[in-house]
Amino acid sequence: MTELLSIQRLSLNFAGREILNQLELKLMPGEVVSVLGSNGAGKSTLLKSILGLHGSAQQTGNILISGIDIELSRHEAISQLAYVPEQPAVYGHLSAIENIRYFLSLSAVDQAIDTAKCLATAGLPELAWHRPCSEYSKGMKQKVMLAFALAKQAKLLLLDEPNSGLDPQATEELNQLILRCKEQGMGVLVVTHDVLSALEFSDRLLMLNDGKLQPVTLDKSNLSIESLKRLYQGQV
């Protein structure tokens, strides 16, 4: 089976600072991988590199999405994925239905896609589908963007700190939705501080430290503040 995401020897320097250093990552279809790391470790930078948004930073290495090199065929590669930033980017004056139809038009996706079915799968209450998104909570906006990912039939889903600012119920709903995306064969890459949620939905946990990704194993039953401190200090 071909890797859905393959990152090979990825290095990135910005303003003389090495953020990513010969980083390697492979992610398969139907796999959820969570990347942990302290503030400033480069987690969001990693996502931006995958999106081809490294800007003026000096970047070397290869990033392939479904075997497509993002530097050689950026549009084709990006068409394979969906990205949900920490603050979901929806148009407040448009409804959920209108947002998804607009995003689909930009993605050149078949407009016959059953938008309502995607919103239902994402767990957005039907009563909200036609309300302006300016009235939505963060969790509801995330569901709109995840419904778009389903409508787009994205193969790869990138999530940046998806649980930040969510209450416990919204967090649980999002965790379950990530698992539903996995069940549909989507590959999911999450960068997060929420270790407990990551343990709920991840197949693998990785720690980003000194620009490299290292596998970590955590036991939810023995998780403690001290064990998390050691983890983030690179002692696990």
Side-chain angles (χ1 to χ4, degrees):
M1 185 182 296
T2 303
E3 294 96 353
L4 183 53
L5 173 65
S6 177
I7 300 179
Q8 305 161 357
R9 302 177 303 281
L10 179 63
S11 293
L12 185 142
N13 289 270
F14 182 73
R17 179 191 169 208
E18 186 176 65
I19 300 174
L20 304 176
N21 178 20
Q22 296 287 301
L23 183 146
E24 301 273 342
L25 174 63
K26 296 187 185 300
L27 190 150
M28 305 299 292
E31 183 181 28
V32 181
V33 174
S34 288
V35 175
L36 309 173
S38 58
N39 291 331
K43 301 187 301 300
S44 294
T45 298
L46 173 60
L47 294 187
K48 289 178 181 177
S49 292
I50 297 170
L51 292 164
L53 301 176
H54 50 76
S56 60
Q58 294 181 327
Q59 179 173 303
T60 60
N62 300 99
I63 300 175
L64 288 80
I65 301 171
S66 294
I68 305 166
D69 191 315
I70 195 168
E71 292 296 331
L72 299 179
S73 302
R74 182 175 184 274
H75 180 75
E76 185 181 1
I78 294 299
S79 70
Q80 308 291 311
L81 62 79
Y83 168 57
V84 182
E86 185 172 359
Q87 297 301 322
V90 297
Y91 290 96
H93 65 288
L94 299 179
S95 68
I97 294 278
E98 291 168 335
N99 264 284
I100 293 175
R101 287 176 178 165
Y102 176 66
F103 292 144
L104 289 176
S105 71
L106 296 178
S107 303
V109 175
D110 184 0
Q111 294 293 300
I113 292 290
D114 190 341
T115 304
K117 180 179 179 180
C118 294
L119 283 167
T121 302
L124 187 71
E126 187 172 353
L127 290 174
W129 291 358
H130 298 282
R131 283 168 38 203
C133 287
S134 58
E135 301 177 6
Y136 288 11
S137 66
K138 177 187 173 180
M140 294 170 71
K141 291 175 181 176
Q142 284 180 323
K143 289 175 181 178
V144 174
M145 297 200 73
L146 290 167
F148 166 63
L150 295 169
K152 184 183 178 183
Q153 298 179 327
K155 296 178 180 179
L156 175 64
L157 178 61
L158 307 178
L159 300 175
D160 191 354
E161 298 290 356
N163 296 109
S164 69
L166 298 185
D167 63 34
Q169 180 177 340
T171 295
E172 178 58 26
E173 290 173 355
L174 179 65
N175 293 350
Q176 292 303 313
L177 181 52
I178 291 171
L179 290 173
R180 286 201 293 275
C181 290
K182 168 187 167 67
E183 289 169 1
Q184 295 194 18
M186 197 180 294
V188 186
L189 179 64
V190 185
V191 301
T192 183
H193 283 100
D194 189 342
V195 178
L196 289 177
S197 286
L199 287 169
E200 292 291 334
F201 54 65
S202 301
D203 295 298
R204 287 189 288 141
L205 294 177
L206 303 174
M207 174 61 72
L208 181 56
N209 190 28
D210 292 331
K212 297 179 183 292
L213 289 172
Q214 300 293 337
V216 295
T217 302
L218 295 175
D219 185 346
K220 186 176 179 180
S221 63
N222 293 325
L223 207 59
S224 67
I225 296 297
E226 287 305 315
S227 66
L228 289 177
K229 283 182 179 179
R230 290 195 300 272
L231 173 66
Y232 277 83
Q233 291 169 356
Q235 299 176 18
V236 176

